[in-house]
Amino acid sequence: MNKAVYAAGALCWRLIEGKVHVLVIHRTAYGDVTIPKGKVDPGETLPQTAVREIGEETGLSVNLGVPLGMSRYLLPSGKTKVVHYWAAFVSDEAIRTSQFRPNREVAAIEWVTLKKARTYLTYGHDVEIVDVFEKLVAEGVTHTFSITVLRHAKAASASAGDGTDAGRPLTPRGLDQAQAVVPMIAAFGPRKIVTSDAVRCVTTVAPLAASTGITPKRSAKISQDAFEEDRADPRAIIGKRVSAGKNAVICSHLPLVPELLREIALATGSVTGSYIRSAADLAPGDFSVVHLSATNPSSGIISIETHPNPV
């Protein structure tokens, strides 16, 4: 059985004269019209690949929005190609600063309406991704923001720190995990970082904070000590983040992760269920991204995607 080839991309979109347009590329070598995407490089994760490929093929700097699913098809080599897609809003600033130049891979980029994209794209699997996005447009949930719930990376025992649970440091593997999530979470464009005040959580988000320039806000309300002493308050943390409507990362402990995800569901009028429990089943350094409507978060959770730590 042939090993699958994995790739990632995004359906980039913007409003032109009040109407949704999506970006297609004209590929030089293949003479086709398709959605920008590319193969995962060694050591990359899917979100990281999607953002990099958009930048390389279109010159646009984007953040990932709602996942649009995946396409699966056979290559001439007989291998199966699996491509994961997200929606990606393109700001006016990204358009102004685009560095696109026609090259050996991409001859041209073009903004087209959803209607034109249906007949313009060369491949049926691309049209299926447009169909998924068009349903979101019809529901009025194209403008979104995300709340990423991150479980702290692998931690050492209390004896390796100051003797307290809150003082537990990360193990060498944990430090590697903290570095590994940086490009993954950065792909979603975080603007706020909130962390438990425990050392293992603060250290987990430190590389992300350094990379993004965001100063983390420490909170005892989502600490392990607070949870065990029945004084944790995940509702207060989540309420502020939903009200703010900005991409945020919240780093906490295993017992708090399901509580944080449940509070997101409650704050947005979403039905709770097994999908919340699945999203909360995180190993150290794993995270789940919850996508919400920026214009009407009370309409409920649009989707949740969970990413394992690659280390």
Side-chain angles (χ1 to χ4, degrees):
M1 185 175 181
N2 287 323
K3 190 175 181 180
V5 175
Y6 289 92
L11 187 63
C12 299
W13 69 277
R14 62 189 289 219
L15 294 175
I16 300 176
E17 296 181 350
K19 195 167 188 178
V20 172
H21 285 62
V22 295
L23 185 67
V24 299
I25 62 172
H26 297 256
R27 294 197 296 183
T28 308
Y30 299 96
D32 57 9
V33 180
T34 185
I35 299 171
K37 61 184 177 294
K39 291 188 293 185
V40 175
D41 281 348
E44 274 190 335
T45 60
L46 290 165
Q48 186 179 356
T49 298
V51 171
R52 176 183 58 77
E53 284 290 339
I54 297 303
E56 291 178 358
E57 294 192 344
T58 71
L60 295 169
S61 176
V62 300
N63 297 319
L64 301 182
V66 178
L68 299 177
M70 69 177 77
S71 61
R72 188 185 301 263
Y73 52 92
L74 283 177
L75 296 170
S77 64
K79 292 184 178 181
T80 299
K81 188 169 186 177
V82 181
V83 189
H84 291 252
Y85 290 97
W86 285 263
F89 173 69
V90 178
S91 66
D92 291 340
E93 181 182 358
I95 295 292
R96 287 193 300 270
T97 58
S98 171
Q99 299 297 312
F100 175 76
R101 296 291 185 275
N103 54 70
R104 289 186 299 175
E105 186 174 359
V106 180
I109 61 176
E110 185 177 3
W111 292 96
V112 299
T113 63
L114 291 170
K115 182 178 180 180
K116 183 172 182 179
R118 287 177 170 281
T119 57
Y120 204 35
L121 288 164
T122 303
Y123 307 107
H125 50 256
D126 282 348
V127 176
E128 291 173 0
I129 298 301
V130 172
D131 288 343
V132 174
F133 179 69
E134 190 165 21
K135 289 179 182 178
L136 293 176
V137 174
E139 295 169 2
V141 291
T142 46
H143 285 286
T144 62
F145 72 99
S146 62
I147 299 177
T148 297
V149 177
L150 169 66
R151 182 182 172 186
H152 66 75
K154 182 70 174 176
S157 63
S159 61
D162 62 5
T164 66
D165 180 77
R168 290 169 57 195
L170 296 185
T171 64
R173 183 187 177 196
L175 292 171
D176 289 341
Q177 289 176 331
Q179 290 287 349
V181 298
V182 172
M184 299 172 69
I185 295 179
F188 297 95
R191 297 177 61 187
K192 182 80 175 183
I193 300 173
V194 181
T195 178
S196 158
D197 58 0
V199 168
R200 57 191 182 276
C201 289
V202 173
T203 310
T204 295
V205 300
L208 179 65
S211 176
T212 59
I214 301 169
T215 301
K217 176 182 173 60
R218 302 184 187 189
S219 176
K221 294 179 179 180
I222 51 173
S223 70
Q224 180 95 17
D225 286 345
F227 177 81
E228 293 178 354
E229 295 168 8
D230 199 28
R231 56 182 177 82
D233 192 3
R235 177 165 294 179
I237 300 297
I238 293 301
K240 287 184 179 179
R241 301 281 53 87
V242 173
S243 296
K246 297 178 181 178
N247 296 339
V249 178
I250 302 174
C251 182
S252 188
H253 310 261
L254 182 60
L256 271 297
V257 167
E259 297 296 321
L260 289 163
L261 290 167
R262 181 174 180 272
E263 289 300 333
I264 295 174
L266 294 176
T268 58
S270 306
V271 176
T272 58
S274 61
Y275 76 105
I276 294 291
R277 292 191 293 274
S278 295
D281 187 17
L282 302 179
D286 292 358
F287 63 93
S288 287
V289 185
V290 185
H291 297 274
L292 305 169
S293 168
T295 54
N296 185 19
S298 63
S299 61
I301 293 171
I302 301 169
S303 66
I304 301 180
E305 54 183 301
T306 299
H307 294 276
N309 194 291
V311 176

